[in-house]
Amino acid sequence: MAYAFDSNNPSARLVLLPNYAPLNLINPNFLHHHHHQVLFPVRFALNPALVAQIEQDRSISLQQFMNDEGLVPSREEEQRRCNVIRKLKEIIIKWIKRVAYLHKLPQNLVKAASATILTYGSYGLGVHNAESDIDALCVGPWFASLTEDFFVVLHDILAKRVEVSDIHCVKDAKVPLMRFKFEGISVDLPYAQLQVTTVPENVDILNPLFLNGIDETSWKSLSGVRANNSILQLVPDVKIFQQLLRCVKLWAKRRGLYGNLFGFFGGVHLAVLTAFVCQRNPNVSLAGLVSIFFKTFASWPWPTPVLLQQGIMMPRHHPEARSLMPIQLPSSPHEYCHSNITTSTFMKIRTEFCKGYRLTQDLLKSQFDWRNLFEPYPYSKFYQQFLKICLSTSNEEELGDWVGWVKSRFRGLLVKLEEAHVFYDPSPTEYLDTTVQAPNVVFYWGLIPGKNNVLDLDSIQDGFKKTLGTGQKEVTGNMTLSVIKSSQLPKTLQLVDTHSMFSDTGQTVPLCPNRVPHRLVGYSVPSI
């Protein structure tokens, strides 16, 4: 995008120049030649300095918007997290020496034994806020086991600390971990076991020497840290990458697109997409990068994979290669990020990419407002029916484990709904049903029934309950599925949106003509 003005009239209104192409205008001053009026094209020169200044102003206003939304932690909040990490490292050092002693290792090995804490996720990438959890990986040596030394010895040490509360083990997850609050800050702590006796404090887990002989669980636990480190090494400017990622994450959360368990994006997906844009546009302002981000992925030829590291042949038979939106895992160049995206969630993501581009393609127009991009998604406006998922337990202490277990199995419910030929929009937001006496959490997912307008909810519920019955047997609770009308939603969900879904009545085209199931043809987005 670019704008130009008449150099003879600096106060004239800016004119949009698509793709910075030269502008041909008709000269209003007619020239007479042999009594005929002849019109000559006039080229108006670009003023790059003016364009750059306006984009810079837009970038500053976006940064201020991020600050106003509380996305940048204060110095005090930053210090709180630093203190938590420091104390955790001290605990881990004492733990590993105790484990070495319990394993009756020689005195010199007990003295030399060490372990460390490495951060990843939003905190590791530097895009956390005051409400963010801390994803911290405990990295230990060969003699400290996951089942006994981590989940028993370290658990008992942490449970006795006055700073620690709400601690519990999640053993059957894809990445087993302990979850607790440390001085009020939520911490997820998985474990990776290296085949060394001494683990340096800032161990380079991208170094193959440290990865020799590790087990599959440790490899998966390390993937978050390795992905973070790889991304930060691959982007040309870490600061502007962090700024853009904060914007992208806020957009995804506000528009209901954040949550891998719900069939949308996880943090690593958004980090890779953001890094991809930064890589290819190293000298563009923040505001310009936002527009490029949406333009890039609104028109991306999915399922062509997004590759952060070019020149690498991706495996065709990898399970994730068949996903609708394959994205390379940068720390493992021949692997993809795990994805739960389905046809329904793919269609919503594509629609929101296009909407984002429509809202940001004219960054320089006078009435541009960042708030339009980050408006909360008005579910009650777009759906007349909702799937209500109510999860409850007999006591409050068990609710967190039960909800976490069901969410980890939501992929099974997504598949069942897909087989039922309905369009669904799984809102990740959790609610409380005050009409239910038992401790509960409720989800409301938008629904558009298929051709026959009949949803066999009993069959879907029975099939999903079978999925819940496998794995973590000690986690129990109740689950009920029901279909309700939008008028039955809680009042906080019955939103009145003053803006139309798209800012104008531009031409619409099928979202993805070659991939949209016949039942959903017509669900459309504006042309790009």
Side-chain angles (χ1 to χ4, degrees), residues 14-25:
L14 290 172
V15 180
L16 177 64
L17 299 180
N19 300 321
Y20 288 92
L23 178 64
N24 290 325
L25 299 177

Side-chain angles (χ1 to χ4, degrees), residues 404-419:
W405 176 247
V406 176
K407 286 169 64 177
S408 72
R409 292 295 189 269
F410 265 162
R411 171 68 183 179
L413 181 56
L414 299 179
V415 171
K416 292 294 180 184
L417 291 170
E418 196 92 350
E419 293 172 349

Side-chain angles (χ1 to χ4, degrees), residues 354-403:
C354 292
K355 178 177 171 62
Y357 176 59
R358 294 292 293 257
L359 290 172
T360 59
Q361 65 177 329
D362 295 335
L363 289 174
L364 308 185
K365 64 184 180 182
S366 59
Q367 65 270 34
F368 181 84
D369 190 339
W370 285 114
R371 290 175 296 181
N372 294 331
L373 180 63
F374 301 104
E375 282 187 340
Y377 190 83
Y379 290 92
S380 60
K381 176 180 178 179
F382 296 127
Y383 305 110
Q384 296 180 351
Q385 296 184 24
F386 288 81
L387 176 66
K388 178 181 179 181
I389 307 168
C390 183
L391 309 177
S392 62
T393 54
S394 57
N395 61 72
E396 191 73 37
E397 289 73 23
E398 296 176 348
L399 183 62
D401 286 345
W402 175 236
V403 173

